[in-house]
Amino acid sequence: AEVFDFAAIQEKWLPVWEELQPFRAGLEGDTRPRKYVLDMFPYPSGDLHMGHAEAFGFGDIAARYWRHQGFDVLHPIGWDSFGLPAENAAIKRGVDPRGWTYDNIAQQKRSFRTYAPSFDWSRELHTSDPEYYKWNQWLFLELYKKGIAYRKNGNVNWCPVDLTVLANEQVVDGHCERCGAEVTKKALTQWYFRVTDYADRLLDDLNQLEGRWPSKVISMQRNWIGRSRGADVDFEIEGREGVVTVFTTRPDTLWGATFMVVAPDSELAAELAAGASDEVQSRFQEYLGRVKAETDIERMNSERPKTGVFLERYAVNPVNGERLPIWAADYVLADYGHGAIMAVPAHDQRDLDFARAFDLPVRVVVDTNAPVTGVIPVIPLDENGDPYLPDDAPLSDPAETGLALAGEGRLMNSGPLDGLSKVNAITRVIELLDAKGRGRATKNYRLRDWLISRQRYWGTPIPIIHCEACGEVPVPEDQLPVRLPDAEGLDLRPKGSSPLGAAEDWVNVACPNCGEPARRDSDTMDTFVDSSWYYLRYLSANDDTQAFDPREAEKWAPVDQYVGGVEHAILHLLYSRFITKVLFDRGYVSFTEPFTSLLNQGMVLMDGSKMSKSKGNLVEFASELAAHGTDALRVTLAFAGPPEDDIDWADVSPTGAAKFLARAWRISGEVSSSPDVEWKTGDRALRRITHRLLADAAGLAEAHKFNVLVARLMELVNATRKAIDSGVGPADAAVRESAEVTAMMLDLFAPYTAEDMWARLGYEPSVALVPWRKADPSLLVEESVTAVVQVNGKVRDRLEISPKISAEELEALARASDAVKRSIGDSEIVNVIVRAPRLVNIATRG
Ligand code: ANZ
Ligand code: ZN
């Protein structure tokens, strides 16, 4: 047989594509409808890895598919090239972070060139270019003008080893995500973006994304924003002017409050302690010292034994005048709600644990055994979250059982609320408090403002000048960009203040306002700022007059299909959504969500675990690419399973993929009819298979069932092979038709092979621009048969297939079925019996 030499084919077509530039988008006069397909841009740490191969492979399938469907597809590429790894490499190896970064970009570009995603290279961007970060600074100033960017002194997560501020999500179980050191708190003046002002919109607009984003990502965003509804209630403190406000989600339990707890690290605690006895004061100071070393995560851990200090002061319950002792305890956080709570031990587990530890009273005010009917029917849940039917058993006593009565019920021991259901009692008590001016309905969020300043070198300088007389002065727009000074001569080692502060020539400037000596802000921006709006910069990547052209945004944005890892499920997506809303409010864009549809690819694993150098199980992209070539690698990744699932490299077969490609390619060389054959003279059985695939392929591609599409292409190639060998022969029109359709569809997964097939079939490049063929309905009515797929004897799926299907094809289709995969789960396949075309039985173990 003819030798399929993937390397020769790659070498042949790369220069042709580079000459043709078939993937330039938005050319003048192009009237096609538009699609914007975007992959999360890579970070240039070393060469591309298998994760990139997978993600960019999927993104490219989408981009190529839409092009075949007649769209002008924008599929750009750039680099997220600021950030800590460059700086750490610089510190470790004494190299220049700039040089390190751009060398890596060059390496990744070389790999991309061979891997051949259909990028529009004319829009390439790097966030570390002054041409990019100039607009990052512009964006900062836009936010600053609106009061959305502001500076405040706060306690920040601090890594004592990396000597840097960490965002909440970089703290994993109280430890630094990067180095594993225990995270502490440090008081620093920092820049923030007021993302909390957008909390409601960030939450409510998630509804628009339902069904288009993975539901897991949507719920992670919801939890991160963490809205709770409840009430603020004002308490007076004996011997003190003014009120202390607490946030509660259960104002209905106000009559059950038996003490108050304040966060030890709040101003209120310090003030109250200052008025207490010397002994309490010193106990409080000692306790505060311990609490400061704790992380929020530890403090929120409900399993920890409760600790606290009684402050010898009393609050007054606004509804019944009762005196409530005030304690300082670490389970109340300073920066959630108001940093103080009313404790209702009978109905809140943390309060109950505390009350039992310090022998404080417990008063039941909700009869959780009373049936609740009424406007909203409520089914009570037991401690496992299962519904149970209330019985007549007496109420258990939380003080004795240690179990708070958190469920639904009717109010008791609560004056005017007695007998009401929880829901109605909440409404009623808020009315009562409102009338007295002692409380009001309110909402609270877990979301915090976005801390954007970093005391590091390799990032966008913050465009602010600090002047003794004028205060914070924004750098005038015509002086942007504020360029990053050379790293040479600067000590980049982390020390808690920015290395830029030592760049004397750079940091000392005249105040733009009064002309007196002033200093530049020496912090740089979190790189999540860079990536929050890059999708817009691609639209005007070469425009040096504006960040992006709103008219281009109108044409292309929002992104139709975004592809990237689930590790960005929270922050990158949240911040992009936030910045998009800010730009919407400022009139720069006409949409409020940046990414219409999102695909999270799974991970590439090895023997079931994450690949890493240290484990010695790293599958290198470069060596796989060299060994199997672009197309076999891409087909392997697409065929391995649904794109959302993890791929275990130990279970896949690039050699199998290469054999399939060779089979398809050989057919294109055997076709002996000319391009002007009449399709309708072709063999009907083969044409049926071709047209059934044409009928299904669009649906499969749009539902991201790429693995099934590949399996169907394999079926078509095998059927064509059989037709050639079994008398239909290579001159039959159906053989040409099948080969052409194969080339067109193979372009999604194997662009080189597809292009070469296309040329062998007598056409000009590029197959990437060939319009999608339409299925002929008269060929779709066919005697198909139903194959039954069983797993361990149980029917799991039924497949409509050709009666002529081969055993291997049937087995491949059966293994690609979602239902079958689900039922196999993690178990090992020990035997597969195939009786084509009727039955596949898969036996598993474990
Ligand atoms: C009284 C009460 C009674 C509460 C009851 C709950 C159950 P989420 O849902 O997370 O928003 N809380 C308020 N501020 C706090 C803080 N700074 N640190 C720790 N806990 C705080 O939780 C709201 C509830 O958490 C509030 O409602 C308050 O306790 C507590 F049967 O008030 B609750
Ligand atoms: Zn000044």
Side-chain angles (χ1 to χ4, degrees):
E2 222 186 333
V3 177
F4 174 68
D5 180 349
F6 72 80
I9 295 176
Q10 289 181 183
E11 257 161 60
K12 177 170 168 197
W13 291 110
L14 257 184
V16 176
W17 291 336
E18 267 157 25
E19 174 75 30
L20 270 180
Q21 302 208 11
F23 309 123
R24 288 284 293 275
L27 294 179
E28 208 161 317
D30 196 331
T31 55
R32 289 176 292 174
R34 301 180 188 91
K35 285 271 180 197
Y36 188 177
V37 177
L38 184 64
D39 287 274
M40 292 183 186
F41 60 172
Y43 186 83
S45 48
D47 198 356
L48 297 180
H49 52 68
M50 288 305 281
H52 292 123
E54 188 197 11
F56 284 92
F58 291 144
D60 203 42
I61 293 172
R64 287 175 181 272
Y65 169 74
W66 288 113
R67 237 177 253 117
H68 287 292
Q69 291 289 350
F71 287 82
D72 186 7
V73 176
L74 174 58
H75 188 34
I77 181 68
W79 275 268
D80 190 12
S81 49
F82 267 143
L84 217 48
E87 206 162 327
N88 287 344
I91 294 161
K92 233 170 140 181
R93 281 175 251 153
V95 294
D96 175 16
R98 185 176 276 111
W100 183 89
T101 300
Y102 286 90
D103 285 352
N104 283 336
I105 290 176
Q107 177 53 47
Q108 294 196 347
K109 273 180 84 163
R110 280 193 293 274
S111 298
F112 267 141
R113 184 169 177 265
T114 309
Y115 202 55
S118 58
F119 293 142
D120 179 347
W121 282 98
S122 71
R123 298 163 187 259
E124 178 182 355
L125 60 79
H126 317 125
T127 57
S128 53
D129 289 349
E131 294 76 17
Y132 186 90
Y133 67 70
K134 168 177 181 172
W135 302 112
N136 229 16
Q137 293 171 340
W138 167 86
L139 180 70
F140 177 95
L141 293 178
E142 282 289 296
L143 271 64
Y144 184 77
K145 276 186 248 167
K146 284 280 132 191
I148 300 170
Y150 69 98
R151 228 153 74 107
K152 78 168 179 200
N153 203 331
N155 277 322
V156 295
N157 298 316
W158 180 256
C159 173
V161 173
D162 288 338
L163 297 180
T164 192
V165 171
L166 299 174
N168 279 342
E169 55 291 343
Q170 294 170 312
V171 182
V172 178
D173 293 333
H175 294 265
C176 172
E177 179 192 61
R178 286 194 213 98
C179 72
E182 203 165 324
V183 172
T184 59
K185 292 276 177 181
K186 189 179 164 96
L188 275 179
T189 303
Q190 301 273 342
W191 286 98
Y192 292 83
F193 286 170
R194 227 177 271 284
V195 60
T196 51
D197 277 5
Y198 287 75
D200 278 324
R201 289 164 68 187
L202 287 167
L203 205 53
D204 296 339
D205 288 354
L206 286 171
N207 297 337
Q208 296 177 32
L209 304 174
E210 211 78 63
R212 300 155 171 270
W213 279 31
S215 49
K216 183 176 160 202
V217 174
I218 294 182
S219 69
M220 283 166 87
Q221 296 252 324
R222 287 211 175 100
N223 289 338
W224 188 259
I225 298 164
R227 177 165 66 196
S228 19
R229 294 172 192 280
D232 276 352
V233 183
D234 303 332
F235 289 74
E236 280 176 351
I237 308 289
E238 283 180 6
R240 179 182 180 274
E241 291 284 304
V243 294
V244 167
T245 305
V246 306
F247 172 68
T248 173
T249 47
R250 294 291 306 272
D252 56 312
T253 62
L254 192 47
W255 273 261
T258 54
F259 56 101
M260 177 183 268
V261 184
V262 298
D265 46 344
S266 63
E267 278 170 29
L268 178 63
E271 180 205 318
L272 295 178
S277 66
D278 288 352
E279 196 216 315
V280 166
Q281 276 191 42
S282 72
R283 266 205 301 184
F284 172 76
Q285 288 307 338
E286 189 262 336
Y287 184 57
L288 181 60
R290 270 195 286 149
V291 172
K292 275 190 167 159
E294 297 167 356
T295 63
D296 282 3
I297 293 139
E298 289 171 315
R299 289 173 63 169
M300 285 186 295
N301 176 0
S302 54
E303 309 284 292
R304 287 170 75 232
K306 294 285 179 289
T307 57
V309 175
F310 176 41
L311 297 178
E312 294 179 335
R313 301 287 293 268
Y314 293 86
V316 182
N317 189 328
V319 290
N320 58 11
E322 270 184 22
R323 299 176 82 215
L324 309 177
I326 305 178
W327 288 68
D330 64 355
Y331 77 98
V332 171
L333 304 177
D335 66 352
Y336 188 70
H338 303 281
I341 65 157
M342 65 181 216
V344 185
H347 303 289
D348 181 286
Q349 192 61 48
R350 296 160 299 178
D351 297 345
L352 181 62
D353 296 342
F354 192 86
R356 281 161 50 99
F358 294 98
D359 213 9
L360 294 159
V362 177
R363 184 190 307 144
V364 175
V365 291
V366 183
D367 176 356
T368 50
N369 279 359
V372 179
T373 50
V375 204
I376 305 163
V378 178
I379 303 162
L381 302 179
D382 65 17
E383 55 272 26
N384 301 319
D386 298 324
Y388 75 93
L389 291 176
D391 52 27
D392 295 335
L395 261 186
S396 61
D397 178 0
E400 268 178 25
T401 61
L403 291 175
L405 302 170
E408 297 288 334
R410 287 189 181 279
L411 274 286
M412 56 192 272
N413 296 330
S414 297
L417 304 186
D418 280 358
L420 294 179
S421 68
K422 167 182 145 184
V423 185
N424 290 340
I426 289 178
T427 313
R428 183 81 192 106
V429 74
I430 291 175
E431 282 168 8
L432 292 173
L433 289 166
D434 241 331
K436 287 207 228 174
R438 287 313 200 80
R440 58 219 70 87
T442 185
K443 290 178 283 191
N444 238 297
Y445 304 87
R446 216 164 288 287
L447 184 69
R448 293 283 157 265
D449 277 346
W450 175 10
L451 196 175
I452 63 115
S453 45
R454 297 287 180 275
Q455 292 70 50
R456 302 304 295 247
Y457 168 75
W458 191 234
T460 302
I462 288 176
I464 292 286
I465 290 165
H466 299 280
C467 167
E468 223 161 277
C470 315
E472 287 164 7
V473 183
V475 173
E477 228 175 89
D478 61 6
Q479 289 173 28
L480 299 182
V482 175
R483 282 174 186 270
L484 202 53
D486 279 344
E488 215 191 310
L490 293 181
D491 180 5
L492 301 186
R493 277 172 307 181
K495 52 199 165 303
S497 63
S498 175
L500 291 179
E504 290 300 329
D505 291 346
W506 180 86
V507 84
N508 292 307
V509 284
C511 167
N513 207 20
C514 69
E516 292 298 309
R519 282 176 73 83
R520 288 190 189 283
D521 199 295
S522 59
D523 284 357
T524 53
M525 292 184 215
D526 179 3
T527 55
F528 276 120
V529 178
D530 317 3
S531 56
S532 68
W533 68 281
Y534 78 115
Y535 75 97
L536 291 167
R537 182 65 188 164
Y538 281 128
L539 309 180
S540 312
N542 303 305
D543 189 337
D544 58 6
T545 65
Q546 54 194 334
F548 62 92
D549 183 341
R551 283 167 307 183
E552 292 293 310
E554 196 58 38
K555 280 205 257 176
W556 292 103
V559 172
D560 295 289
Q561 180 66 60
Y562 200 29
V563 181
V566 73
E567 68 274 14
H568 290 301
I570 299 179
L571 289 193
H572 162 58
L573 294 175
L574 189 76
Y575 295 151
S576 303
R577 298 181 58 226
F578 159 64
I579 292 295
T580 301
K581 289 172 201 306
V582 173
L583 292 171
F584 171 84
D585 292 349
R586 307 278 292 134
Y588 290 109
V589 299
S590 64
F591 51 90
T592 54
E593 284 293 330
F595 311 120
T596 306
S597 166
L598 173 68
L599 172 65
N600 285 143
Q601 81 278 2
M603 285 199 296
V604 183
L605 308 173
M606 188 69 198
D607 288 327
S609 66
K610 227 174 149 160
M611 299 191 291
S612 73
K613 267 202 190 107
S614 56
K615 282 191 212 143
N617 64 352
L618 195 67
V619 178
E620 300 260 18
F621 172 71
S623 56
E624 294 297 307
L625 194 60
H628 307 289
T630 293
D631 289 359
L633 209 55
R634 286 192 181 209
V635 168
T636 303
L637 289 161
F639 187 52
E644 301 82 4
D645 289 7
D646 291 345
I647 297 175
D648 197 323
W649 205 247
D651 294 345
V652 299
S653 165
T655 351
K659 276 191 193 139
F660 155 63
L661 291 171
R663 238 180 347 240
W665 178 82
R666 276 189 209 113
I667 289 172
S668 68
E670 290 172 49
V671 170
S672 56
S673 57
S674 74
D676 55 9
V677 283
E678 278 217 55
W679 297 134
K680 60 175 186 289
T681 64
D683 175 71
R684 205 170 158 81
L686 180 57
R687 292 202 73 203
R688 278 208 194 99
I689 302 176
T690 306
H691 283 260
R692 256 210 335 262
L693 177 53
L694 280 173
D696 296 346
L700 291 173
E702 286 171 38
H704 302 154
K705 294 189 172 172
F706 307 139
N707 56 323
V708 182
L709 191 46
V710 173
R712 293 285 299 272
L713 269 169
M714 291 175 171
E715 184 195 350
L716 179 62
V717 167
N718 290 343
T720 313
R721 175 82 267 151
K722 229 178 265 170
I724 295 175
D725 295 349
S726 70
V728 172
D732 190 278
V735 170
R736 167 168 280 278
E737 183 182 43
S738 147
E740 291 189 7
V741 168
T742 302
M744 176 196 79
M745 285 194 195
L746 214 45
D747 174 56
L748 311 192
F749 311 99
Y752 290 105
T753 310
E755 194 74 279
D756 210 55
M757 285 178 71
W758 198 240
R760 281 150 67 93
L761 289 164
Y763 299 106
E764 293 291 308
S766 171
V767 69
L769 302 176
V770 168
W772 201 258
R773 299 257 173 99
K774 293 233 158 32
D776 176 346
S778 71
L779 288 165
L780 299 177
V781 277
E782 198 216 356
E783 1 61 81
S784 68
V785 293
T786 306
V788 165
V789 187
Q790 301 182 328
V791 177
N792 299 326
K794 275 212 190 85
V795 176
R796 294 300 182 186
D797 206 353
R798 290 190 161 78
L799 306 171
E800 286 304 308
I801 43 108
S802 152
K804 298 196 196 98
I805 196 166
S806 72
E808 302 83 75
E809 290 155 13
L810 183 57
E811 183 181 339
L813 283 175
R815 283 177 184 257
S817 142
D818 285 348
V820 169
K821 291 197 150 178
R822 258 197 309 280
S823 107
I824 293 174
D826 294 331
S827 12
E828 187 193 342
I829 298 180
V830 289
N831 190 22
V832 182
I833 297 165
V834 186
R835 299 267 178 272
R838 294 288 177 191
L839 175 79
V840 179
N841 187 37
I842 300 173
T844 69
R845 174 173 57 204

